[in-house]
């Protein structure tokens, strides 16, 4: 495992656990965090033995945003020329499923990274927000778009225009998170969920992720056609034969990811 400065990485069976680890800055996302996450997500995608990934933070903060101290003195030309924060699209291009497990603050870029996950689960202590307007800027890593898709215009506009935080109960009610668990159980619950996903047919997991994400990009008719073609395609896999014959024979399927 590479030697990282801002994240901790552990393989737990077929699940990769990644913990943001900048406790002095409430896990603020600086360029090193981004570089290291790009690296670890690429390694996860390439490793046939790893079938789900959990990204988490600390009890106090998943991540309190992009690193304000790193950004504060930048000018437009620098931001634009460097296309500041380009690279997050590599994280969202991960083909295999991953989960964000959020306790404490998920603000600004922290909320935006959590929303990049395929499944978001929250501790009862979680607080989500897009407070960039209080800093004289706006969301810049997808927050205005993903939050609006997730919870609708009414609440997204209110949160982005006021910077108010949403607690875990409201986040669940609004459809931002799949589920809320007691803070003490967050990582264990996220790993349990990840192990369930890791136990499924790997190709079907990738195809499922592509199908659900297509709902954001395609019309209903295009999305249904895309879904059906992927479904047809899986009949070319060994795992489809294995899954269906195991069902008929009343035994557990043994997946090969082929
Ligand atoms: N960046 C850098 N340092 C931070 C950040 C941050 N986002 N958040 C907290 N820290 C640091 C603090 O400066 C402090 O450091 P120090 O001890 O050296 O003073 C340490 O973490 C602890 O923080 P606090 O003392 O403030 O802790 P509190 O418990 O009092 O408060 C809060 C916790 C409420 C979370 C508070 O820290 C806070 O408001 N943080 C900022 C939240 C925020 O505004 N986030 C949005 C950042 S902007 C952003 O994410 C834009 C994303 C898009 C960029 C795209 C570019 C293309």
């Amino acid at each position: 495992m590479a030697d990282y400065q801002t994240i901790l990485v552990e393989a737990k069976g077929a699940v990769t656990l990644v913990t943001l680890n900048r406790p002095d800055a409430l896990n603020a996302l600086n360029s090193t965090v981004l570089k290291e996450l790009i690296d670890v997500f690429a390694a996860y995608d390439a490793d046939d033995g790893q079938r789900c990934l959990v990204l988490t933070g600390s009890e106090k903060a998943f991540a309190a945003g992009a690193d304000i101290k790193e950004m504060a003195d930048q000018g437009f030309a620098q931001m634009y020329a460097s296309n500041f924060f380009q690279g997050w699209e590599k994280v969202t291009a991960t083909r295999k499923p991953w989960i964000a497990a959020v306790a404490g603050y998920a603000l600004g870029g922290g909320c935006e990274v959590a929303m990049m996950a395929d499944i978001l689960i929250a501790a009862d202590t979680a607080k989500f927000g897009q407070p960039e307007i209080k800093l004289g800027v706006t969301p810049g890593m997808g927050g205005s778009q993903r939050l609006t898709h997730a919870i609708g215009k009414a609440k997204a506009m209110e949160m982005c225009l006021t910077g108010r935080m949403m607690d875990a109960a409201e986040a669940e009610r609004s459809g931002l998170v799949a589920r809320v668990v007691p803070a003490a159980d967050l990582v264990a619950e996220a790993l349990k969920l990840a192990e369930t996903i890791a136990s499924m047919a790997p190709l079907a997991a990738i195809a499922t992720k592509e199908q659900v994400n297509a709902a954001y990009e395609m019309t209903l008719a295009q999305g249904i056609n895309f879904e059906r073609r992927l479904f047809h395609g899986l009949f070319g896999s060994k795992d489809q034969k294995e899954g269906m014959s195991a069902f008929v024979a009343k035994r557990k399927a043994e997946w090969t990811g082929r």
Side-chain angles (χ1 to χ4, degrees):
M1 210 68 86
D3 197 11
Y4 295 118
Q5 293 169 38
T6 64
I7 58 175
L8 305 171
V9 184
E10 284 169 83
K12 293 189 169 282
V15 176
T16 305
L17 175 63
V18 182
T19 307
L20 297 166
N21 187 34
R22 294 190 71 209
D24 295 343
L26 300 185
N27 292 330
L29 306 161
N30 64 9
S31 35
T32 309
V33 178
L34 173 58
K35 200 151 41 89
E36 294 185 348
L37 285 180
I38 289 171
D39 192 67
V40 83
F41 273 84
Y44 160 61
D45 236 6
D47 184 344
D48 280 350
Q50 293 298 292
R51 296 185 174 175
C52 197
L53 179 150
V54 173
L55 177 66
T56 194
S58 68
E59 274 174 37
K60 181 159 182 195
F62 175 75
D67 192 317
I68 298 169
K69 293 166 189 166
E70 191 181 61
M71 288 185 293
D73 294 330
Q74 302 250 359
F76 168 75
Q78 273 170 298
M79 292 297 262
Y80 189 62
S82 68
N83 202 5
F84 195 73
F85 269 147
Q86 83 168 330
W88 284 106
E89 65 281 358
K90 293 189 182 153
V91 172
T92 57
T94 305
R95 298 187 71 211
K96 294 195 237 173
W98 65 280
I99 297 165
V102 173
Y105 297 112
L107 302 178
C111 185
E112 291 169 307
V113 171
M115 291 190 294
M116 290 175 193
D118 302 308
I119 301 177
L120 209 173
I121 73 169
D124 48 14
T125 57
K127 285 186 170 28
F128 299 90
Q130 297 291 159
E132 290 91 340
I133 197 160
K134 295 182 179 174
L135 301 169
V137 290
T138 63
M141 285 162 52
S144 64
Q145 307 303 297
R146 289 201 176 90
L147 191 64
T148 308
H149 276 295
I151 67 175
K153 177 179 168 182
K155 277 183 186 281
M157 191 68 95
E158 186 212 4
M159 286 178 69
C160 292
L161 280 175
T162 66
R164 87 161 169 94
M165 292 186 213
M166 177 180 262
D167 67 17
E170 186 181 2
E172 186 178 31
R173 224 168 39 238
S174 309
L176 181 61
V177 308
R179 113 172 113 84
V180 178
V181 299
D185 303 337
L186 177 68
V187 173
E189 287 290 334
L191 287 172
K192 203 155 75 180
L193 177 59
E195 278 154 21
T196 301
I197 294 167
S199 74
M200 301 298 166
L203 291 178
I206 294 174
T208 300
K209 175 168 168 167
E210 280 194 65
Q211 288 177 340
V212 175
N213 283 334
Y216 282 97
E217 311 288 347
M218 293 182 181
T219 64
L220 181 61
Q222 286 168 332
I224 287 172
N225 195 45
F226 177 73
E227 177 194 85
R228 190 179 302 157
R229 295 294 170 244
L230 278 178
F231 173 79
H232 292 161
L234 287 169
F235 282 74
S237 71
K238 288 186 179 152
D239 280 346
Q240 174 271 325
K241 299 287 171 289
E242 168 65 9
M244 293 195 178
S245 55
F247 175 82
V248 173
K250 299 186 189 298
R251 63 174 175 80
K252 189 171 177 291
E254 297 291 339
W255 309 121
T256 58
R258 293 291 178 260

